[in-house]
Amino acid sequence: MIRLVVADDQAILRSGLVALLGLESDVEVVGEAADGASTLVAVAEHRPDVLLLDVQMPAGTTAEGVPGPEDGIGVAETLRGTEGAPRIIVLTTFGRAGYLRRTMEAGATGFMVKDTPVEQLVDAIRRVHQGLRVVDPELAAQSLAVGASPLTLKETEVLQTAAAGGTTARIAQTLFLSEGTVRNHISSAIGKLGVTGRAEAVRAGTENGWI
C-alpha cells in the first residue's frame, strides 16, 4: 500500500484527487493539506511514502504561529534530506520549464501538470514510490530549450517580492536591503532578461518559471 498526502490549496481540486486516488487498491490517502505549514505537519504526522504537492500554495501558519514555506518548492526544500522524507511529485497548473528545474533542484522526483489524466498520475505515483523519476515529457523538452535561470538568488528574491506589488521601499524593507541595492538588482535583472522595465522583468521571470 502506498501512503499518500495530497497538498493543494484548491479545496475542490484536492477533494476530487483524494476521491479518485482512493479508488486505487494500492493507494491510501492518509492526509490532506492546504498550505505550506499544514503540509509539513501532515507529513510529520502521517509519514507518507509519497507527497503530491502543488507549487502555488500559501505559506499558512502552524498552531504555534510559525509560518510555513511560501510555496510548494519551499516545502520540498524543507523536507529534502530529512529522515523519512517522502518522495515528492509536484502537480501544478503552471506548466513552465523553470518550475521543473527548480522543483527538481529542491528534491522532487516527479513533475506533472494538473490536466494529466488520472491513470497517468496514478502510474507516476507508483513509479516514484519505486524510486524512479517521472517528468512530463513536454516540460522536459521545454526545460532543455529554456535553460537555467540567468538570475542570481538576490535578483530572484527581489523580483518575487516585486511581483507581490511592493514598492522599492517595501521590497527593501522586506528583504533587509537598501533601496539602492534593490534598484541595482532590478536593473541587473532587466538587463539579463532583455526587457525594458520592472513589470516586464517580473512577467518574463514568471512566464519562464524562474521566480
Side-chain angles (χ1 to χ4, degrees), residues 93-127:
T93 54
F94 299 93
R96 296 166 183 159
Y99 279 135
L100 169 58
R101 186 179 295 271
R102 289 169 61 201
T103 53
M104 292 307 180
E105 290 174 350
T109 51
F111 191 97
M112 308 291 287
V113 292
K114 287 184 178 178
D115 60 0
T116 298
V118 67
E119 296 83 3
Q120 292 183 24
L121 179 58
V122 172
D123 181 63
I125 291 170
R126 292 174 178 142
R127 291 170 64 189

Side-chain angles (χ1 to χ4, degrees), residues 122-165:
V122 172
D123 181 63
I125 291 170
R126 292 174 178 142
R127 291 170 64 189
V128 164
H129 182 244
Q130 294 168 0
L132 303 174
R133 284 184 179 271
V134 179
V135 176
D136 181 281
E138 182 176 343
L139 284 175
Q142 290 178 14
S143 180
L144 291 174
V146 170
S149 172
L151 304 172
T152 65
L153 177 60
K154 281 300 181 184
E155 290 164 358
T156 300
E157 290 177 346
V158 166
L159 289 186
Q160 286 173 335
T161 308

Side-chain angles (χ1 to χ4, degrees), residues 19-136:
L20 289 171
L21 294 171
L23 298 175
E24 302 297 322
S25 60
D26 58 343
V27 175
E28 179 186 7
V29 179
V30 295
E32 301 179 39
D35 55 46
S38 61
T39 299
L40 296 181
V41 170
V43 167
E45 179 180 352
H46 300 291
R47 313 298 290 180
D49 301 306
V50 178
L51 170 62
L52 198 59
L53 178 65
D54 185 26
V55 167
Q56 295 288 345
M57 290 194 305
T61 57
T62 65
E64 295 76 25
V66 178
E70 294 185 357
D71 56 19
I73 295 175
V75 171
E77 290 174 337
T78 301
L79 291 173
R80 180 175 55 191
T82 60
E83 184 179 355
R87 294 185 171 93
I88 297 173
I89 298 175
V90 169
L91 188 65
T92 179
T93 54
F94 299 93
R96 296 166 183 159
Y99 279 135
L100 169 58
R101 186 179 295 271
R102 289 169 61 201
T103 53
M104 292 307 180
E105 290 174 350
T109 51
F111 191 97
M112 308 291 287
V113 292
K114 287 184 178 178
D115 60 0
T116 298
V118 67
E119 296 83 3
Q120 292 183 24
L121 179 58
V122 172
D123 181 63
I125 291 170
R126 292 174 178 142
R127 291 170 64 189
V128 164
H129 182 244
Q130 294 168 0
L132 303 174
R133 284 184 179 271
V134 179
V135 176
D136 181 281

